[in-house]
């Protein structure tokens, strides 16, 4: 269970504090209260997994720099207690004015401390996202609209009312100048700290304009409710607002306020149509005309019957709950007896942990007419420290003219399987051997490779505990020509020196060192998984359907399998202590390929990989081969052909390696009408899904000209939510699907966590503004724009 506490700093009457307390209550989470940051940092925060703090710089200190410093001290206290920090950012700075630049620098300091960040609008997200790139969870959770109890609104009189603390940015001056005759501007609230003189200045400005100004001061709940219901015209005139509790409060009392046209107010109007009346603040007289229209038609200031006022508390609490759960510190989760699932690629979380008992291991050894090498490999396997009664070896003969002779006195279960000679079919031979084995962990060892005595024990440890894990050992190189089994045994038992080591491939050594033994694996780490010293759990190998048997010449099948494994959510790990010695040097270090004929084999391998493996860096930009890296799925309506064409062309012109699939009853007709082979209809075939790295599910067609950047974001964070749908890494989807219902539920009861919660916990989630939905813009103009040079992000 994730133990969450809300640490709320500031005076009770502050809007940010009230919002925080409302959210905590809706989530049924405990609250720690502090009236200043210093006392907050002194609180006992031990025992909590996640501490959530609402933040606005004006609440923590008079200057933004001091505010960030005080927040930093609080963040250190949270970290010192062993908890993760989550923050709701309020009043996110925007614009290029000097003060806003200073505030942005302060907010950047705040976000560096936070594992999770919430903002209250997509408008705020635009400013917050560049500051929060390293957050595990970045979400838009709108301000809740709490429907107030009591009688319905009944506007009367001539008061034009503005709700909230009186401070300079709220828009009072502009509103005073736009008041119709005989109207009064009524401020529902008192002055903000540090602005006690502002009400007097506004009163003087009203007298100068021949208008009336009045301020109520702080109102208790009942008095405030009466004022909100009876005000003649509700106005929220702040032009620079990024999220407004005042607007949400008006809506909760059944009022439809006048608001200036801005990014945030248009967001409200798009999400909850009919809840606000927008005027153009830059147009002279626009606010006055809107006020006069409201006075003439009081019903226009009421929410329309049946209109959704906005997100309710239950919806908001659910969003916060998911966010806060995903902010917990990375930790392995039990998924069965002695088995764990880990977040991301964090196999290091099980450092020092060993299986409850040694796993039953099957070692599959592909073979083709190399009896001396096989004798050495089997002799080395007979010296393994792994319990022999839990060790099985399967020799898979790839069509040798004479089958290998296996020792009758092997100390482990030793089996032989054979297939016909139809070329170099190591992939099929390994599959054949795995099918004939029964170990819970399957290790693949080339027949010309000699494992050190602890090789099996070391390489099988992680797959035995993390069924998602694919491990690769260290392949060293030596010239073993002339080495007898007896000499080999003397070396491996410490009674004689070993062979002189040949050079290991530099690119592979550097890859392992640079990725901390693949702890920092990414989408291209499949290139560092070699089948000569490879291992995984039997269940994962079966789920992947083994090696691709289309490979019928040397090389490439291990990369293809590893790529599919990564897309399926596998954890990659290099185990440098699991050493096996290969007879001879690495391919790249042998006789020049042009002299040995290996250039043709390498070209064949590259062509096969380019066809089967959708890695844009391997095959180049654009989608011109059967399998796509990015799978875009859209369920169009019957009249959506133009929108589909626009989405497709924006994606394809952007050179994204993508395929577009049209689901639903109208997909086939639209696909046929458009005639582009990259626009397909129906269910996505399993082999296509298995090789895709990113799944983009569109609710509506959208501009996909930055699809590559969106896919990269999804690969980094697992899930990206945007106005037209969502993008998810296949890795996150498959990992969560595998373990859904098998991990402990956050509350400790039930059948386990759902897929979405697991994916967000293990990989994170980021909300983004891109891409916006298709809005029916003229198609010819859109396509004409695509003919122009495209900006690359």
């Amino acid at each position: 269970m994730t133990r969450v506490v809300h640490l709320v700093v500031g005076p009770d009457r502050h809007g940010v504090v009230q919002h925080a307390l409302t959210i905590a209550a809706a989530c049924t989470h405990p609250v720690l209260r502090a009236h200043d940051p210093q006392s907050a940092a002194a609180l006992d925060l031990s025992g909590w997994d996640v501490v959530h703090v609402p933040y606005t710089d004006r609440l923590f200190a008079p200057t933004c720099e001091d505010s960030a410093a005080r927040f930093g001290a609080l963040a250190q206290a949270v970290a010192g207690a062993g908890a993760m920090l989550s923050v709701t950012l309020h009043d996110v700075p925007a614009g290029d004015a000097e003060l806003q630049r200073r505030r942005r620098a302060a907010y950047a300091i705040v976000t560096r401390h936070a594992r999770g960040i919430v903002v209250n609008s997509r408008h705020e997200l635009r400013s917050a996202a560049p500051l929060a790139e390293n957050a595990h969870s970045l979400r838009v959770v709108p301000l809740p609209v709490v429907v107030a109890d009591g009688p319905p609104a009944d506007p009367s009189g001539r008061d034009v009312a503005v709700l909230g603390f009186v401070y300079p940015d709220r828009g009072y001056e502009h509103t005073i100048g736009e008041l119709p005759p005989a109207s009064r501007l009524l401020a529902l609230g008192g002055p903000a700290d540090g602005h006690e003189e502002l009400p007097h200045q506004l009163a003087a400005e009203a007298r100068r304009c021949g208008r009336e100004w009045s301020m109520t001061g702080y109102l208790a709940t009942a008095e405030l409710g009466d004022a909100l219901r009876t005000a003649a015209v509700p106005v929220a005139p702040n032009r620079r607002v990024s999220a407004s509790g005042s607007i949400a409060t008006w809506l909760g009392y059944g009022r439809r306020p006048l608001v200036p046209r801005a990014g945030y107010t248009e967001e409200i109007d798009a999400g909850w149509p009919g809840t606000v009346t927008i005027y153009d603040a830059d147009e002279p007289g626009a606010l006055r005309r809107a006020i006069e229209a409201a006075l003439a038609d009081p019903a226009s200031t009421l929410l329309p019957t049946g209109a959704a006022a906005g997100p309710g508390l239950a919806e908001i609490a659910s969003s916060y709950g998911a966010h806060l759960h995903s902010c917990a510190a990375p930790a392995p989760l039990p998924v069965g007896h002695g088995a764990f699932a880990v977040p991301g690629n964090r196999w290091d979380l099980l450092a020092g942990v060993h299986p409850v008992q040694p796993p039953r291991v099957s070692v599959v050894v592909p073979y083709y007419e190399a009896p001396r090498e096989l004798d050495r490999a089997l002799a080395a396997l007979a010296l393994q420290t792994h319990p022999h009664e839990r060790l099985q070896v399967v020799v898979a003969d790839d069509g040798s003219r004479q089958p290998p002779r296996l020792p009758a006195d092997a100390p482990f279960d030793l089996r032989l399987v054979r297939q016909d000679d139809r070329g170099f079919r190591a992939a099929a031979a390994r599959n054949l051997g795995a099918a004939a084995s029964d170990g819970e962990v399957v290790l693949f060892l080339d027949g010309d490779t000699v494992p050190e005595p602890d090789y099996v024990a070391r390489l099988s440890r992680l797959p035995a505990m993390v069924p998602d894990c694919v491990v690769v050992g260290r392949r060293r190189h030596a010239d073993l020509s002339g080495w007898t089994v007896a000499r080999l045994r003397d070396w491996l038992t410490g009674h004689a020196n070993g062979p002189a080591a040949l050079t290991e491939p530099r690119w592979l050594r550097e890859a392992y060192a640079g990725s901390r033994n693949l702890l920092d694996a990414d989408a291209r780490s499949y290139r560092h998984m070699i089948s000569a010293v490879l291992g995984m759990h039997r269940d994962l190998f079966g789920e992947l359907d083994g090696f691709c048997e289309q490979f019928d010449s040397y090389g490439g099948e291990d990369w293809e399998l590893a790529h599919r494994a990564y897309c399926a959510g596998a954890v990659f790990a290099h185990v440098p202590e699991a050493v096996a010695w290969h007879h001879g040097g690495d391919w790249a270090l042998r006789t020049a390929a042009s002299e040995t004929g290996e250039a043709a084999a390498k070209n064949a391998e590259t062509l096969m990989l380019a066809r089967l493996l959708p890695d844009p860096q391997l095959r180049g930009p654009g989608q011109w081969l059967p399998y796509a890296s990015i799978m875009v799925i859209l369920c169009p309506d019957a009249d959506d052909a133009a929108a589909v064409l626009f989405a497709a062309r924006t994606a394809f012109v952007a050179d994204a390696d993508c395929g577009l699939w049209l689901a639903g009853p109208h997909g086939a007709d639209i696909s046929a009408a458009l005639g582009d082979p990259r626009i397909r209809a129906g269910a996505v075939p399993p082999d296509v899904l298995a090789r895709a790295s990113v799944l983009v599910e569109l609710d509506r067609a959208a501009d996909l000209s930055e699809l590559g950047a969106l896919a990269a974001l999804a690969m980094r964070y697992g899930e990206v939510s945007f106005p037209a749908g969502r993008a998810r890494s296949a890795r996150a989807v498959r990992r969560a699907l595998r373990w859904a219902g098998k991990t402990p539920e956050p509350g400790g009861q039930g059948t386990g966590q759902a897929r979405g919660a697991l994916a967000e916990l293990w990989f994170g989630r980021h909300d983004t503004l891109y891409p916006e939905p298709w809005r029916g813009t003229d198609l010819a103009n859109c396509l004409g724009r695509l003919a122009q040079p495209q900006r690359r992000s």
Side-chain angles (χ1 to χ4, degrees), residues 646 650 703 774 776-787 790:
F646 174 68
T650 54
D703 184 337
W774 157 270
T777 309
D778 178 70
L779 184 62
N781 290 337
C782 293
L783 296 181
R785 176 173 59 80
L786 293 179
Q790 297 293 300

Side-chain angles (χ1 to χ4, degrees), residues 174-439:
H174 176 72
T175 306
I176 288 172
E178 296 289 306
L179 285 175
S183 292
R184 177 178 68 159
L185 181 59
L186 177 62
L188 300 176
D193 291 344
H195 298 286
E196 288 76 8
E197 294 301 315
L198 182 58
H200 304 292
Q201 298 169 8
L202 292 172
E205 175 65 15
R207 289 193 296 272
R208 189 185 67 80
C209 296
R211 299 292 184 266
E212 185 180 353
W213 150 273
S214 181
M215 182 179 68
T216 64
Y218 176 77
L219 294 173
T221 301
E223 296 173 307
L224 178 62
D226 290 341
L228 293 169
R229 292 186 182 95
T230 60
V233 183
V235 183
N238 190 339
R239 301 188 194 189
R240 290 189 289 272
V241 67
S242 57
S244 173
S246 298
I247 294 176
T249 302
W250 282 119
L251 297 176
Y253 280 87
R255 305 306 303 274
R256 183 183 184 186
L258 307 183
V259 297
R261 184 176 302 281
Y264 175 62
T265 56
E266 290 183 331
E267 182 179 329
I268 293 176
D269 188 50
W272 297 278
T275 57
V276 293
T277 299
I278 296 179
Y279 64 89
D280 191 341
D282 293 325
E283 182 181 334
L287 176 55
R288 175 179 294 195
R289 291 191 292 273
I291 294 173
E292 290 172 341
L295 290 170
D297 181 13
S300 68
T301 69
L302 306 178
L303 283 179
T305 302
L313 269 178
E315 178 184 348
I316 298 304
S318 176
S319 296
Y320 263 97
H323 163 77
L324 293 168
H325 176 56
S326 73
C327 289
L333 292 180
V335 291
H337 181 63
F340 300 90
V342 297
N345 208 62
R346 294 294 306 275
W347 50 262
D348 62 313
L349 295 172
L350 291 170
V353 181
H354 292 274
V356 176
Q357 65 175 341
R360 179 159 176 78
V361 177
S362 295
V363 180
V364 175
V365 182
Y367 170 83
Y368 181 76
E369 297 187 354
R372 292 186 182 87
E373 287 84 350
L374 180 62
D375 288 344
R376 288 193 293 258
L378 293 177
L381 286 169
L383 297 173
Q384 291 298 301
T385 59
H386 191 82
H388 289 170
E389 67 273 13
R390 302 187 67 78
L391 178 62
Q392 177 188 68
V393 177
V394 180
V395 177
D397 180 17
D398 185 18
S400 299
R401 286 165 293 183
Q402 295 293 327
R405 299 179 62 181
L406 304 184
D409 59 348
F412 41 69
D413 177 10
L414 178 59
R415 304 178 183 183
L416 172 67
V417 291
R418 304 190 70 207
Q419 66 184 16
D420 293 339
D421 183 6
R422 297 204 300 269
F424 187 97
R425 296 194 296 142
R430 292 191 185 98
N431 288 344
L432 183 66
S437 70
D438 53 27

